[in-house]
DNA sequence: GAGTGGTCTAGACCACCCT
DNA sequence: GGGTGGTCTAGACCACTCC
């Protein structure tokens, strides 16, 4: 037997073909028998591949009909230790991140509240867009206490990653202390970045992350494209 | 073949035994071969059951070692701490509930999936509106396995409360095993009930509640008026 | 009735863990 | 080396969909 399972490479092939547009949402895949013939394997091996693709929400099967490409939004689990890109990788997609802005300015009321600062204090603000497979999924704004992390902007610029940047300034681990969620309508600017229609539904999450000593280290607001994402809250 | 898949009833048996404490976190289950012998089925059928249990995070397998109960069984779900509150200051709000409909009908695909039923099985469906201070906050639909709870509709009619009704039919405690959230636009019917504009943003949550033996007892969908409420997800 | 996915059995071999 | 889970094959029958 080869080192990589056959069913994994079959799933990978099919994923690539779907990503390349050979199959579109709603399309029917070839039958299990046909796929087995094409890949030169047993039908059960194809089924194992399709089973995994169904688990990750890529396809769904209808007995008697066939296997169909899902138009279903990607799921994004949130919990105590949410790391956006790690989660997307787990879902088998390719995460990308575009930096829109990194700046340092005075905190506004809400930011000061959330980070336990006064409004005289400065904060670093990091804004960007997260995408998967070329489709923008989320617009985010992360706010950090500037006094505590003077070198953070440089680290953000270099890594693009909040987790990596915080690690580089001494915050090895952090946890989400709370998340608030609500539904909103996309503003023109948000719609532009997320490539959705103005007025389309978006899911806004507001969260505070704290370090091991429970000091707030990040205040984050994320706007998800409502039709491309759903959040999963599950026990860990 | 019986109406219910063998592997499902095997998974159900094992779930019950785990919930009853026959196996504790970290414990090793009998080997696949032993389980196959015990249930009088092929090893592959046992594997199918274990596979589903692994998916839902109940167990994990280690090649060469065995299958083990996961450290944190679903006794302590984060989703349990999901609660909704009014965005604006909620001083002395009076929660109200209006029953829209209580009916019994065949399960659809998603309901059957979520409740581990077949589509031949019947479900009780309870729909209503939650309000506070006269303002509708949420529209909900709760779906229950009818065979297990023949007397539930009466209890729902009398109490209006899912918790109270389930208690009256023997489910003293239940926990939320998962919640999915996404943003949508209100349909005309939803807008009417929530007294918001057609196309206003709404927050949809889809959840599954399980009893002490981890059997699904309720599949619930709730639509929140996006501009009147937000959800808080907090650990611990 | 033909086609399609879902379940179950049976057997083989492999990769990995333990002792 | 012996035991355990992981993969793959092969074949059978069933439930469901679609014509």
């Amino acid at each position: 037997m080869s080192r990589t399972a056959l069913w994994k490479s079959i799933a990978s092939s099919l994923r690539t073909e779907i990503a390349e547009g050979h199959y579109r949402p709603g399309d029917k895949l070839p039958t299990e028998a046909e796929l087995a013939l094409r890949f030169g394997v047993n039908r059960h091996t194809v089924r194992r591949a399709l089973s995994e693709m169904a688990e990750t929400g890529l396809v769904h099967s209808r007995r008697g009909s066939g296997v169909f490409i899902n138009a279903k939004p990607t799921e994004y689990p949130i919990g105590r230790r949410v790391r956006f890109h790690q989660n997307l990788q787990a879902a088998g997609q390719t995460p990308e991140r575009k930096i829109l802005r990194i700046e340092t300015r005075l905190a506004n009321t809400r930011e000061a509240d959330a980070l336990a600062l006064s409004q005289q204090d400065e904060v670093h603000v990091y804004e960007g867009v997260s995408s998967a497979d070329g489709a923008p999924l989320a617009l985010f704004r992360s706010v950090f206490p500037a006094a505590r992390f003077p070198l953070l902007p440089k680290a953000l610029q270099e890594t693009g990653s909040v987790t990596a940047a915080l690690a580089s300034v001494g915050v090895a681990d952090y946890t989400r202390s709370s998340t608030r969620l609500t539904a909103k309508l996309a503003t023109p600017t948000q719609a532009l970045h997320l490539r959705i229609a103005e007025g389309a539904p978006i899911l806004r999450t507001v969260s505070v992350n704290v370090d091991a000593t429970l000091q707030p280290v990040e205040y984050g607001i994320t706007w998800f494209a409502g039709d491309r994402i759903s959040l999963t809250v599950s026990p860990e």
Side-chain angles (χ1 to χ4, degrees), chain A:
Chain A
M1 191 187 309
S2 60
R3 220 185 87 263
T4 305
L6 264 179
W7 67 261
K8 282 187 184 174
S9 61
I10 291 172
S12 176
S13 296
L14 291 175
R15 253 203 214 88
T16 303
E17 288 173 17
I18 292 170
E20 283 174 350
H22 291 74
Y23 304 106
R24 307 191 150 273
D27 279 3
K28 185 177 165 302
L29 282 178
T31 67
E32 294 177 348
E34 285 168 349
L35 288 174
L37 197 64
R38 172 185 149 192
F39 288 107
V41 300
N42 191 275
R43 177 182 156 222
H44 293 308
T45 306
V46 167
R47 277 179 64 73
R48 181 68 187 85
L50 292 175
S51 160
E52 195 220 28
M53 293 167 70
E55 263 177 54
T56 63
L58 195 57
V59 300
H60 63 102
S61 54
R62 290 215 311 270
R63 168 149 54 176
S65 303
V67 178
F68 301 84
I69 310 296
N70 256 333
K72 199 184 138 195
T74 10
E75 287 196 359
Y76 173 63
I78 61 177
R80 201 186 183 102
R81 290 166 192 280
V82 175
R83 304 289 184 270
F84 182 55
H85 288 84
Q86 291 174 12
N87 284 325
L88 283 181
Q89 277 161 359
Q93 303 187 24
T94 327
E96 306 133 34
R97 197 165 358 197
K98 192 174 81 179
I99 297 176
L100 292 179
R101 173 190 345 200
I102 296 177
E103 63 176 14
T104 303
R105 57 162 170 75
L106 289 182
N108 67 30
T109 318
R110 283 177 191 170
E111 293 162 355
D113 263 10
L115 294 173
L117 302 175
S118 85
Q119 281 185 66
Q120 316 310 322
D121 290 320
E122 284 193 321
V123 289
H124 302 312
V125 180
Y126 171 32
E127 289 181 5
V129 178
S130 295
S131 310
D133 292 334
L137 294 180
L139 191 63
F140 63 87
R141 177 191 301 147
S142 285
V143 181
F144 310 88
R148 178 166 171 195
F149 304 121
L151 301 177
L152 194 66
K154 189 161 167 279
L156 284 170
Q157 192 68 252
E158 286 165 1
T159 67
S161 153
V162 168
T163 303
L166 281 176
S168 80
V169 295
V171 182
D173 195 24
Y174 59 92
T175 50
R176 182 170 289 229
S177 74
S178 76
T179 306
R180 290 206 317 281
L181 305 103
T182 195
K184 295 281 180 186
L185 297 183
T187 66
T189 310
Q190 291 167 344
L192 183 69
H193 284 128
L194 291 173
R195 274 190 251 143
I196 55 179
E198 222 178 293
I202 56 177
L203 187 58
R204 190 194 67 180
T205 75
V206 182
S207 63
V208 177
N209 279 302
V210 299
D211 65 13
T213 68
L214 303 184
Q215 304 300 318
V217 292
E218 185 211 4
Y219 171 65
I221 305 184
T222 305
W223 296 269
F224 293 93
D227 54 348
R228 297 195 192 125
I229 272 284
S230 74
L231 298 175
T232 302
V233 183
S234 51
E236 284 169 82

